[in-house]
Amino acid sequence: MNMKINLSLLTLALSAVWADDGGWHTDEDKLLATPGPCTIEVRDAEDLTQEEFLSRYAFSQPVVIKGATDNSAFINDCKREVMLKKYGAKVIRLSSANTYSYRKVDVTLDKYVQEIMKPQTLGMLGNETFYWFGDNNYTEWQELFDKYIPPPYSLPGLTGVYSFGLAGAGTGVPFHFHGPGFGEVIYGRKRWFMLPPEKTPHFHPNRTTLQWLYEDYPELHPLDGPLECTINQGELIYFPDRWWHGTLNIDTSVFISTFLG
Ligand SMILES: *[C@@H]1O[C@H](CO)[C@@H](O)[C@H](O)[C@H]1NC(C)=O
Ligand SMILES: *[C@@H]1O[C@H](CO)[C@@H](O)[C@H](O)[C@H]1NC(C)=O
Ligand SMILES: *[C@@H]1O[C@H](CO)[C@@H](O)[C@H](O)[C@H]1NC(C)=O
């Protein structure tokens, strides 16, 4: 009897951890990227005030923040079935997943999901991989964006602009930098690699983060290694102004960034 109860509790707990991929399933054998260690500070939003965010992180270092918002309404609309039904016919703009030369392609969301979005293989180059992140037409995506509760931290005088994305397992953007902001994972897991502005990483702008992980990362001297952390559903990462970062989606992932400018 006890055993039975324990087993069903265990099943319940495990399904809470694993089950909700929102329908964005990836076959286990297609997963080439793995989560790594977390060397970025991790904080609970409950214990992190806006004041401390400003003094400790905003201008000086990245931070992972747990439990900042309850985005369940938004998360529900990002399920595969819901997105295809509501928005499948919408035209989205894909970017090539390399550092500089962003080639763009317009396709319907339906075509992207059914035909283009695939787990990344090691042989594919970044400039030849198409990826949906950003270039979102705010008028067309307003209904969805209105449901998103943004990170409850801010930088003086700056406002947020959203970039929404959906991409296959193993995809990501190689090292680059821009202004400050937040990234949040809606489904899947995303591994972030970060370096301060003065520590330019060594990377080829057309190779993928996955190729970098397999070929360059193991060779790094410990002192040259980036800070890193894998972000799970509902977690935020803050990237300060001009910090280098490369991203890697472990699973088929849905994500949104709030760029501050
Ligand atoms: C992608 O980048 C590689 C290496 O830089 C280059 O050889 C190749 O021609 C590029 N592919 C396209 C489609 O531009
Ligand atoms: C990267 O690929 C683009 C085209 O996709 C090409 O124009 C550029 O020369 C490549 N860069 C390098 C460093 O090979
Ligand atoms: C955004 O979408 C609206 C409605 O479909 C359209 O009228 C507008 O031209 C689009 N804007 C851009 C910049 O593409």
Side-chain angles (χ1 to χ4, degrees):
M1 183 62 179
N2 261 341
M3 181 69 159
K4 210 167 174 183
I5 289 171
N6 285 343
L7 274 181
S8 55
L9 278 179
L10 183 68
T11 313
L12 203 66
L14 287 178
S15 58
V17 173
W18 279 335
D20 199 10
D21 61 11
W24 300 108
H25 174 74
T26 317
D27 288 335
E28 200 76 27
D29 63 343
K30 298 270 169 39
L31 298 177
L32 296 184
T34 50
C38 184
T39 53
I40 294 174
E41 287 191 21
V42 179
R43 299 291 304 266
D44 256 308
E46 220 175 55
D47 310 317
L48 179 60
T49 61
Q50 166 67 13
E51 288 66 32
E52 191 189 357
F53 171 75
L54 276 181
S55 63
R56 190 171 171 83
Y57 304 107
F59 306 103
S60 46
Q61 61 172 324
V63 59
V64 171
I65 306 169
K66 294 181 185 253
T69 46
D70 175 4
N71 260 311
S72 44
F74 182 75
I75 291 169
N76 187 60
D77 262 29
C78 294
K79 285 181 180 156
R80 186 178 194 276
E81 195 186 341
V82 178
M83 285 209 81
L84 287 181
K85 191 162 160 203
K86 280 194 171 180
Y87 311 119
K90 278 195 192 300
V91 172
I92 60 170
R93 176 155 292 180
L94 310 179
S95 306
S96 58
N98 53 341
T99 299
Y100 306 118
S101 40
Y102 284 102
R103 294 199 292 148
K104 310 275 184 179
V105 177
D106 292 342
V107 296
T108 61
L109 176 63
D110 203 73
K111 184 178 168 77
Y112 176 62
V113 169
Q114 313 281 6
E115 295 171 34
I116 299 176
M117 186 175 79
K118 299 228 162 59
Q120 189 85 356
T121 59
L122 264 176
M124 276 163 80
L125 284 164
N127 57 327
E128 294 169 359
T129 304
F130 283 93
Y131 182 94
W132 184 29
F133 180 54
D135 282 310
N136 312 117
N137 179 325
Y138 259 62
T139 315
E140 294 206 350
W141 292 94
Q142 182 158 11
E143 184 203 330
L144 181 64
F145 286 170
D146 278 351
K147 293 190 175 157
Y148 182 64
I149 302 168
Y153 300 97
S154 58
L155 266 64
L158 303 186
T159 53
V161 174
Y162 300 143
S163 273
F164 181 80
L166 160 62
T171 59
V173 180
F175 280 108
H176 65 286
F177 64 83
H178 40 61
F182 297 91
E184 178 167 349
V185 169
I186 306 303
Y187 286 111
R189 294 167 292 175
K190 197 183 195 81
R191 188 168 169 185
W192 288 71
F193 302 95
M194 296 184 124
L195 283 160
E198 68 278 8
K199 285 186 83 180
T200 304
H202 176 76
F203 67 100
H204 187 295
N206 285 343
R207 296 182 72 74
T208 61
T209 314
L210 189 66
Q211 291 170 329
W212 173 87
L213 179 75
Y214 273 72
E215 291 158 22
D216 299 350
Y217 177 89
E219 307 295 327
L220 289 175
H221 186 278
L223 289 177
D224 296 333
L227 293 175
E228 62 167 287
C229 199
T230 300
I231 311 302
N232 300 296
Q233 180 179 322
E235 295 177 353
L236 289 171
I237 191 165
Y238 170 71
F239 43 89
D241 192 26
R242 291 178 300 111
W243 272 62
W244 288 97
H245 52 280
T247 59
L248 185 61
N249 298 304
I250 309 277
D251 314 287
T252 306
S253 299
V254 181
F255 42 90
I256 184 166
S257 286
T258 305
F259 291 109
L260 302 172

